[in-house]
Amino acid sequence: MTSTYIHSAPVLLVFGIRWFPQEASRFWHAPFPDTFLQWNVTWNVLAPLAFVCAHAIFYTALVNVILKPEEHIITSFRYLKAKKSTKAIFGKNPKFAWFILVELRSHCS
């Protein structure tokens, strides 16, 4: 329940601010604007994609290289490496780049 809430609450909040600014800003310290900037590929698609990629690479490097956990702790990389379906897709030893792509997919969904 908590994971569902923390992942859906920001999306619902942004939806409410975008489509119902007066009602959403009722309990806020200042009213939200009624008009928004025009849609822009750079800031609506490319910038968030760049931040998600940077986050996934930083997280992977931090968790698996810099703060490498002990062997008995199961991380997402070790879990994915141990799964039979992952072995069928990636072979016996998945490449690190594939793991980054899997991490990106898990962060995007």
Side-chain angles (χ1 to χ4, degrees):
M1 180 70 169
T2 302
S3 178
T4 303
Y5 175 73
I6 65 172
H7 286 92
S8 61
V11 176
L12 293 173
L13 178 67
V14 170
F15 178 82
I17 291 171
R18 171 66 178 96
W19 295 107
F20 307 102
Q22 300 302 330
E23 293 86 357
S25 66
R26 188 171 4 150
F27 299 108
W28 197 250
H29 65 86
F32 294 131
D34 290 334
T35 58
F36 292 89
L37 297 175
Q38 294 296 323
W39 196 84
N40 186 346
V41 173
T42 303
W43 291 109
N44 290 44
V45 177
L46 298 178
L49 182 63
F51 283 112
V52 167
C53 291
H55 173 266
I57 291 169
F58 177 72
Y59 172 80
T60 302
L62 181 68
V63 170
N64 295 312
V65 178
I66 298 170
L67 302 174
K68 189 169 185 167
E70 299 174 8
E71 292 298 321
H72 70 279
I73 298 174
I74 297 176
T75 62
S76 58
F77 181 71
R78 290 181 186 158
Y79 177 75
L80 288 172
K81 189 176 175 183
K83 283 182 77 173
K84 291 180 182 178
S85 61
T86 306
K87 287 182 181 179
I89 295 171
F90 297 119
K92 196 171 186 180
N93 189 8
K95 303 283 186 202
F96 197 67
W98 281 108
F99 173 69
I100 291 174
L101 290 175
V102 170
E103 282 293 315
L104 275 174
R105 187 186 181 293
S106 70
H107 284 83
C108 292
S109 58

